[in-house]
Amino acid sequence: MQKISARLLLPLLILTAAASQAAAQMEEVVVTAERRGEYAESAPNVVLVRRADHLITSVQVTCDTRDASQRREELKATLRNMIAAAGRSQMMSLGLGNSVLGDLKESNFDEIIGPDSRPDTSRAVVVVKTTISADDTYESATARVKAFIEKATKVGRTEILRQDSWNLTLIGPEQYHDALIARIAAESKKAAESFGPGYGVSIDGLERPVAWYQKGPLDLALYIPYSLHVAPLGSH
């Protein structure tokens, strides 16, 4: 494998990253705390720690009004009230999905309303999100979501039942690719220089997408799964 001198590494990596990541996707992905330790142990030493974009939880909006058409209208009215309440808030929003989130819109209602496990009951599952600020704690963010759910205006026999889990989201992970490449380049340059002027580095995996794991209650660690090799210049 061809080795690259440390002096030329940084500009080369930055130019490569800029070309390959010109159009970063801005989708919102869900980050769960499952297997957090496993991901942390397998991640390389260069990570970018940042706050998550949203704290989220799923809710079931259910209604057991006997008449099916009335039941459906009561559910839709409650969902409209939730959307309106979120629109009046700078911190709250509503979404749909599991691993990747989209926005909850009235045009989605007929798709997400379906039968519940109980007779004469219908439900819709939606995601309640709150933006995470720099000053937020886990307690303050979860309290904001709980208050939003509790204050939601429910129509007829509609109920809003929160599921137990809390997760984080990250918008557009690939937008951090260039920043990670720059950090990897700087660390790789230092590694080569520590061995002396006759050494260079080669790196595998920089084409891989950004990965992540939960670092703390509201923080994420972003990384690229790369491997670094230090060897004398000109060796293979």
Side-chain angles (χ1 to χ4, degrees):
M1 183 179 295
Q2 184 179 5
K3 299 298 184 291
I4 304 172
S5 69
R7 181 174 57 85
L8 298 176
L9 177 66
L10 180 58
L12 177 60
L13 291 182
I14 292 177
L15 286 174
T16 301
S20 62
Q21 303 299 326
Q25 294 183 357
M26 296 303 288
E27 64 184 11
E28 184 168 15
V29 298
V30 177
V31 181
T32 66
E34 297 176 1
R35 296 190 296 167
R36 176 169 55 186
E38 178 182 334
Y39 285 115
E41 291 176 4
S42 63
N45 66 314
V46 176
V47 298
L48 176 64
V49 178
R50 58 148 289 147
R51 297 231 102 176
D53 289 297
H54 292 104
L55 176 75
I56 67 170
T57 192
S58 293
V59 299
Q60 292 187 26
V61 185
T62 67
C63 184
D64 63 357
T65 295
R66 180 69 59 95
D67 181 76
S69 60
Q70 183 180 349
R71 181 167 70 240
R72 197 173 190 86
E73 288 307 310
E74 289 177 2
L75 271 175
K76 288 184 177 182
T78 299
L79 291 171
R80 290 189 197 98
N81 290 339
M82 293 174 69
I83 291 175
R88 294 190 294 269
S89 169
Q90 296 182 343
M91 301 294 288
M92 304 301 302
S93 56
L94 299 170
L96 295 173
N98 295 312
S99 58
V100 178
L101 296 185
D103 295 330
L104 174 64
K105 301 177 181 178
E106 187 164 351
S107 58
N108 303 131
F109 289 177
D110 287 326
E111 300 173 16
I112 64 174
I113 295 176
D116 197 6
S117 57
R118 297 174 296 167
D120 296 328
T121 306
S122 299
R123 71 168 187 170
V125 177
V126 301
V127 176
V128 180
K129 310 191 296 182
T130 187
T131 301
I132 300 174
S133 70
D135 299 328
D136 262 327
T137 63
Y138 180 80
E139 290 73 21
S140 66
T142 55
R144 193 160 56 243
V145 174
K146 291 176 181 178
F148 176 85
I149 296 171
E150 183 177 348
K151 294 177 182 177
T153 302
K154 296 175 281 292
V155 178
R157 293 180 58 84
T158 303
E159 294 183 301
I160 303 175
L161 308 173
R162 191 185 72 80
Q163 298 179 351
D164 291 335
S165 62
W166 297 92
N167 291 313
L168 304 176
T169 73
L170 176 65
I171 298 175
E174 290 306 311
Q175 67 179 302
Y176 303 102
H177 199 278
D178 290 1
L180 283 165
I181 289 289
R183 290 192 178 202
I184 293 168
E187 289 298 316
S188 301
K189 181 174 181 291
K190 287 169 58 179
E193 289 175 346
S194 67
F195 284 86
Y199 284 80
V201 299
S202 62
I203 304 176
D204 298 324
L206 293 181
E207 76 285 356
R208 295 174 180 170
V210 174
W212 53 85
Y213 61 88
Q214 188 171 340
K215 179 71 172 176
L218 298 177
D219 294 323
L220 304 175
L222 314 183
Y223 64 96
I224 297 172
Y226 74 95
S227 59
L228 172 68
H229 312 278
V230 181
L233 290 173
S235 65
H236 296 277

